[in-house]
Amino acid sequence: MTTPAKRVAELREQIAFHAARYFVEDSPVIPDADYDQLVKELIALETDHPELVAENSPSLRVGAPTSTAFSPVAHGQPMLSLDNVFDESELREWSERLVRSLGREDVELSIEPKIDGLALSILYVDGGYSVSATRGDGRVGEDVTANVATMASVPQRLQGVTSTGRIEVRGEVYIDKAAFAQLNASLAKAGERLFANPRNTAAGSLRQKDSTATARRPLSFLAYQLVILEGHEELAEITGHDQALAALDSFGFSVAPTVRHVRGERAMIDAAGWFEDHRHDLPYEIDGVVIKATRLADRDLLGSTSRAPRWAIARKLPPEERTTTLLSIEVSIGRTGRATPYAVLEPVVVAGSTVSMATLHNQDQVRAKDVRPGDRVIVRKAGDVIPEVVAHVPLAGVTRASEWQFPQHCPECQGLLERTGDESDTYCINPACPAQTREQIVHFASRSAMDIEGLGEQRVVQLLSSGLIRDVADLYALGVETLQELEGLGRLSATALVEAITLSRAQPLSRVLIGLGIRHVGPVAARNIATTFPTIDELVHASSDALAAVDGVGAVIAASVVSFMEDSENRLLLERLAARGLLLREPEQTVDVAQTLTGKAVVVTGSLEGYSRDEAEAAIVGRGGTSPGSVSKKTFCVVVGEAPGASKVTKAADLGIPVVSAEGFAFLLETGEIS
Ligand code: IVH
């Protein structure tokens, strides 16, 4: 039987192992959430059995011993860690303790993102860049001065500082999501192994022996703490975190634009909740929210333990990564014939839902991630995105299956699978493949296309296997009498389905174009094409030049439309759809919103309250404007929401393009003017 003493010893050993993998080698083998769980269990056991607390317990320590590759640097003041809470009630308990200790209710609190990167302390002497150090064990870190000097977001001189003294600026080094995706995409293209996640990549990039290697990585730095070690008397006027952040900003650092300064528990809970809701809108990954006492005087009163300050707490957010076993790798065929490998997993709860399948994207990704059946793998599910397998967990002494091979034949029709040129995707090239037919019909009926309610994958499979349909045109010949004979479909639902199909006859031409799944034709191109060629006759005869001239349609889309329309089978299908009563025309646009933004390009950056990214763009386009992804001379204005992209804001400033706040957005839509 495991005794508490044995378990404590076991936990210490495991924590020491994983801490070394995380802090020293930058290649953890378990997700952070699993590590936190181990520490939590150890702390609980040590609290229940104080006799088991050892001086060297990892529960008392911050981080891990430093590696020998870099010279040691002693921090001017210890770099502490943060204690964690995992839900709202634990957060309330923390704030109640704070209120009790300080003896007042409405304590000023600052709420900020807990960026998933690594802590860095930068020493400035007389306002000049001097030494950069990682956290290390909290007292002594590693000297990464040369590497950090290559980072554009770290100023070489503190702007506006003329006094003398020594300051440490602390913050987080990270790689933002977009830069990380780009980095991995270029690695995948080069056939190289991918990075597992932005945090480890940032850590690895910072701890390169050769600083030119660091310079090539897209590292960013966000400052969240100012430590005055000596001199700079004018900075003694800073009495709160809000002022400290403003000072850091004026020195030339980025600070999180989403930091909120509030009073009391209710406002704290709301502000922390905002980060939970907007986690996926932020440009960087966060693993929690940090809540800090704003006033420095309060911080002094509260003090710190050897591990963490009592004046701050990390509210950890539900982990989006988990480990599980990869049972097998299968391949599914999509409507275009694309063969997508996916992982069949031992079910695991990730970010609140059970995951038993996860995409592996394509052949290169499987190779780059080197995952094999039987492996322990890290599974990730962020927001609404499809769960994916991130990497495998290397385990010592375990024999792995041999490398997985992409099948040569389609799992559904046994036809040949083909990969051409430098495409990363593999296709089933049999146009009669039943999987493709099925997926085409499912797509045709889907919400974004013909929107036929009640016609999901299962129903389509049933209709196909009972021989009632062979393609989408057959849907429009279905009657209640036949349908109600099908298993699970009574008269009522058969009638409802026929009605839904009937209704879809009136869908505008643009929806039909989306539904037909013409390569490269998305909703925006479909709408623009159908507006220019509002009847199927006009469209069938449109030249590729005329098509390419349509807004949002280039040569590639134009060629794809022309080749679709020239194909005799597709022509036949269109004729059958027309014969079965489909409208196949684009009704003239009824303009019910004022076209306030006609001819104006409005760039949106950051998240705007009340609008998703798509909704904000739709609001602009719906008023006659365009919403390009980048700022140029032609940009009318830039709408800046929470957590904006720094490059867009800087570019706007450089080009003298007006900037509109989130609040000014409504006015802009309504009037087309800048408030
Ligand atoms: S404050 C004594 N603020 O989280 C104050 N830390 O788990 C300690 N982190 O080592 C840090 N975002 O690497 C603070 N806004 C933030 C943070 C943050 C991320 C990291 C930091 C720290 C770790 C503690």
Side-chain angles (χ1 to χ4, degrees), residues 62 78-84 112-120 135 170-172 222 224-225 241 287 290 292 304 308-309 311-312 314 316:
V62 182
M79 281 183 90
L80 298 181
S81 184
L82 289 169
D83 282 333
N84 295 326
E112 51 189 47
K114 185 171 185 316
I115 299 172
D116 201 6
L118 69 152
L120 180 73
R135 190 172 69 176
R170 293 181 177 174
E172 203 75 356
L222 214 104
Y224 51 65
Q225 204 179 0
H241 189 51
D287 60 342
V290 186
K292 300 173 176 174
S304 301
W311 48 262
K316 286 281 202 149

Coordinates of all heavy atoms in Angstrom, one line a residue, residues 62 78-84 112-120 135 170-172 222 224-225 241 287 290 292 304 308-309 311-312 314 316, ligand 1:
V62 N 10.9 27.6 -6.4 CA 10.4 28.3 -7.6 C 11.2 27.7 -8.7 O 12.4 27.7 -8.6 CB 10.6 29.8 -7.5 CG1 10.1 30.4 -8.8 CG2 10.1 30.4 -6.3
P78 N 14.6 38.7 -5.4 CA 14.2 37.4 -5.9 C 13.0 37.4 -6.9 O 12.2 38.3 -6.8 CB 13.7 36.6 -4.7 CG 14.1 37.5 -3.5 CD 14.5 38.8 -4.0
M79 N 13.1 36.5 -7.9 CA 11.9 36.4 -8.9 C 11.0 35.3 -8.4 O 11.4 34.1 -8.5 CB 12.5 36.1 -10.2 CG 13.0 37.3 -11.0 SD 13.5 36.8 -12.7 CE 12.0 37.1 -13.6
L80 N 9.9 35.7 -7.8 CA 9.1 34.7 -7.2 C 8.1 34.1 -8.2 O 8.0 34.6 -9.4 CB 8.2 35.3 -6.1 CG 9.1 35.9 -4.9 CD1 8.2 36.4 -3.8 CD2 10.0 34.8 -4.3
S81 N 7.5 33.0 -7.8 CA 6.5 32.4 -8.6 C 5.1 32.9 -8.2 O 5.0 33.8 -7.4 CB 6.6 30.9 -8.5 OG 5.7 30.3 -9.3
L82 N 4.0 32.3 -8.7 CA 2.7 32.7 -8.3 C 2.0 31.5 -7.7 O 2.2 30.4 -8.2 CB 1.9 33.2 -9.4 CG 2.3 34.6 -10.0 CD1 1.5 34.8 -11.4 CD2 2.0 35.7 -9.0
D83 N 1.2 31.7 -6.7 CA 0.3 30.6 -6.2 C -0.9 30.5 -7.2 O -1.2 31.5 -7.8 CB -0.2 30.8 -4.8 CG 0.9 30.5 -3.8 OD1 1.7 29.7 -4.1 OD2 0.9 31.1 -2.7
N84 N -1.4 29.3 -7.3 CA -2.5 29.1 -8.3 C -3.9 28.9 -7.6 O -3.9 28.3 -6.5 CB -2.2 27.9 -9.1 CG -1.0 28.0 -10.0 OD1 -0.7 29.1 -10.5 ND2 -0.3 26.9 -10.2
E112 N -4.7 40.9 -15.0 CA -4.0 40.9 -16.3 C -3.8 39.5 -16.8 O -4.0 38.5 -16.1 CB -2.7 41.6 -16.2 CG -1.8 41.2 -15.0 CD -0.6 42.1 -14.8 OE1 -0.8 43.3 -14.8 OE2 0.5 41.6 -14.6
P113 N -3.5 39.4 -18.1 CA -3.4 38.1 -18.7 C -2.2 37.4 -18.2 O -1.1 38.0 -17.9 CB -3.2 38.3 -20.2 CG -2.7 39.7 -20.3 CD -3.3 40.5 -19.1
K114 N -2.3 36.1 -17.9 CA -1.1 35.3 -17.6 C -0.6 34.6 -18.9 O -1.1 33.6 -19.3 CB -1.4 34.2 -16.5 CG -0.2 33.5 -16.0 CD -0.6 32.6 -14.9 CE 0.6 31.9 -14.2 NZ 1.5 31.3 -15.1
I115 N 0.4 35.3 -19.4 CA 0.9 34.9 -20.7 C 1.7 33.6 -20.6 O 2.5 33.5 -19.6 CB 1.8 36.0 -21.3 CG1 0.9 37.2 -21.5 CG2 2.4 35.6 -22.7 CD1 1.7 38.4 -22.0
D116 N 1.5 32.7 -21.5 CA 2.2 31.4 -21.4 C 3.5 31.5 -22.1 O 3.7 31.0 -23.2 CB 1.3 30.3 -22.0 CG 1.7 29.0 -21.5 OD1 2.6 28.9 -20.6 OD2 1.2 28.0 -22.0
G117 N 4.5 32.1 -21.4 CA 5.8 32.3 -22.0 C 6.8 32.0 -20.9 O 6.6 31.1 -20.1
L118 N 7.9 32.7 -20.9 CA 8.8 32.5 -19.7 C 9.2 33.9 -19.2 O 9.3 34.9 -19.9 CB 10.0 31.7 -20.1 CG 11.0 32.3 -21.1 CD1 12.4 31.7 -20.9 CD2 10.6 32.0 -22.5
A119 N 9.5 33.9 -17.9 CA 9.8 35.1 -17.2 C 11.2 35.6 -17.5 O 12.1 34.8 -17.7 CB 9.6 35.0 -15.7
L120 N 11.3 36.9 -17.6 CA 12.7 37.5 -17.9 C 12.8 38.7 -17.1 O 11.9 39.5 -16.9 CB 12.7 37.9 -19.4 CG 14.0 38.5 -19.9 CD1 15.1 37.4 -20.0 CD2 13.9 39.1 -21.3
R135 N 14.5 33.3 -15.1 CA 14.2 33.2 -13.7 C 15.1 32.3 -12.9 O 15.4 32.5 -11.7 CB 12.7 32.8 -13.5 CG 12.3 33.0 -12.1 CD 10.8 32.8 -11.9 NE 10.4 31.4 -12.2 CZ 9.2 31.0 -12.0 NH1 8.3 31.8 -11.7 NH2 8.9 29.7 -12.3
R170 N 10.7 43.5 -15.4 CA 10.3 42.1 -15.5 C 9.1 41.9 -16.4 O 8.2 42.7 -16.4 CB 10.1 41.5 -14.1 CG 11.4 41.5 -13.4 CD 11.3 40.9 -12.1 NE 12.7 40.9 -11.5 CZ 12.9 40.5 -10.2 NH1 11.9 40.2 -9.4 NH2 14.1 40.5 -9.8
G171 N 9.1 40.8 -17.0 CA 7.9 40.5 -17.9 C 8.1 39.1 -18.5 O 8.9 38.3 -18.1
E172 N 7.3 38.9 -19.5 CA 7.2 37.6 -20.1 C 7.7 37.6 -21.6 O 7.3 38.5 -22.4 CB 5.7 37.2 -20.1 CG 5.4 35.7 -20.2 CD 5.7 35.0 -18.9 OE1 6.2 35.6 -17.9 OE2 5.5 33.8 -18.9
L222 N 6.5 41.3 -23.1 CA 5.5 42.2 -22.5 C 5.9 42.4 -21.0 O 6.1 41.5 -20.3 CB 4.2 41.4 -22.5 CG 3.0 42.3 -22.7 CD1 2.5 42.2 -24.2 CD2 1.9 41.9 -21.8
Y224 N 5.5 43.5 -17.1 CA 4.5 43.6 -16.1 C 5.0 44.0 -14.7 O 4.3 44.0 -13.7 CB 3.7 42.3 -16.0 CG 4.4 41.0 -15.9 CD1 5.2 40.7 -14.8 CD2 4.3 40.1 -16.9 CE1 5.9 39.5 -14.7 CE2 5.0 38.9 -16.8 CZ 5.8 38.6 -15.7 OH 6.5 37.4 -15.6
Q225 N 6.3 44.2 -14.6 CA 6.8 44.6 -13.2 C 8.0 45.5 -13.3 O 8.9 45.3 -14.2 CB 7.1 43.3 -12.4 CG 7.1 43.6 -10.9 CD 7.4 42.3 -10.2 OE1 7.7 41.2 -10.7 NE2 7.4 42.4 -8.8
H241 N 0.4 49.8 -9.2 CA 0.7 49.0 -10.4 C 0.3 49.7 -11.7 O 1.0 49.6 -12.7 CB 0.0 47.7 -10.3 CG 0.4 46.6 -11.3 ND1 1.7 46.3 -11.6 CD2 -0.4 45.9 -12.1 CE1 1.7 45.4 -12.5 NE2 0.4 45.1 -12.9
D287 N -2.4 31.0 -20.0 CA -2.8 29.8 -19.3 C -3.6 30.3 -18.0 O -3.8 29.4 -17.2 CB -1.6 28.9 -19.0 CG -0.6 29.6 -18.2 OD1 -0.5 30.9 -18.1 OD2 0.3 28.9 -17.6
V290 N -3.8 36.8 -14.0 CA -3.1 37.1 -12.8 C -3.8 38.3 -12.1 O -4.2 39.3 -12.7 CB -1.6 37.5 -13.0 CG1 -0.9 37.7 -11.7 CG2 -0.9 36.5 -13.9
K292 N -3.5 41.0 -9.0 CA -2.5 41.6 -8.1 C -3.1 42.7 -7.3 O -3.9 43.5 -7.9 CB -1.4 42.1 -9.0 CG -0.7 41.1 -9.8 CD 0.3 41.8 -10.8 CE 1.1 40.7 -11.5 NZ 2.0 41.3 -12.6
S304 N 5.4 38.3 1.2 CA 5.6 37.1 0.4 C 6.0 35.9 1.2 O 6.6 36.0 2.3 CB 6.7 37.3 -0.7 OG 6.4 38.4 -1.5
A308 N 6.1 32.5 -3.3 CA 5.2 33.4 -4.0 C 4.7 34.5 -3.2 O 4.6 34.4 -1.9 CB 4.0 32.6 -4.5
P309 N 4.4 35.7 -3.8 CA 3.8 36.8 -3.1 C 2.4 36.5 -2.6 O 1.7 35.7 -3.2 CB 3.8 37.9 -4.1 CG 3.8 37.3 -5.4 CD 4.5 36.0 -5.3
W311 N 0.4 38.9 -2.3 CA -0.4 40.0 -2.9 C -0.8 39.7 -4.4 O -1.4 40.5 -5.0 CB 0.3 41.3 -2.9 CG 1.8 41.3 -3.3 CD1 2.9 41.2 -2.5 CD2 2.2 41.3 -4.7 NE1 4.0 41.2 -3.3 CE2 3.6 41.3 -4.6 CE3 1.6 41.4 -5.9 CZ2 4.5 41.3 -5.8 CZ3 2.4 41.4 -7.1 CH2 3.8 41.4 -7.0
A312 N -0.5 38.5 -4.8 CA -0.9 38.2 -6.2 C -1.3 36.7 -6.3 O -0.9 35.9 -5.4 CB 0.2 38.4 -7.2
A314 N -2.6 33.5 -9.3 CA -2.9 33.2 -10.7 C -4.1 32.3 -10.7 O -4.2 31.3 -10.0 CB -1.7 32.4 -11.3
K316 N -5.8 29.9 -12.8 CA -5.5 29.1 -13.9 C -6.7 28.8 -14.7 O -7.8 28.6 -14.1 CB -4.9 27.8 -13.4 CG -3.4 27.9 -12.9 CD -2.5 28.0 -14.1 CE -1.1 27.6 -13.7 NZ -0.3 27.0 -14.7
Ligands
IVH1 S1 3.7 38.4 -11.9 C1 5.9 38.2 -8.1 N1 2.3 38.7 -14.1 O1 3.7 33.4 -14.6 C2 5.2 38.3 -9.4 N2 3.6 36.8 -13.9 O2 3.4 31.2 -12.6 C3 5.4 37.2 -10.2 N3 3.4 35.3 -15.9 O3 7.0 33.5 -13.4 C4 5.0 37.3 -11.6 N4 2.1 36.6 -17.0 O4 6.6 33.9 -15.9 C5 3.1 37.9 -13.4 N5 1.0 39.2 -15.9 C6 1.8 38.4 -15.3 C7 2.3 37.2 -15.8 C8 3.2 36.4 -15.1 C9 2.8 35.5 -17.0 C10 4.3 34.2 -15.6 C11 5.6 34.5 -15.1 C12 5.7 33.9 -13.7 C13 4.7 32.8 -13.8 C14 4.2 32.4 -12.4

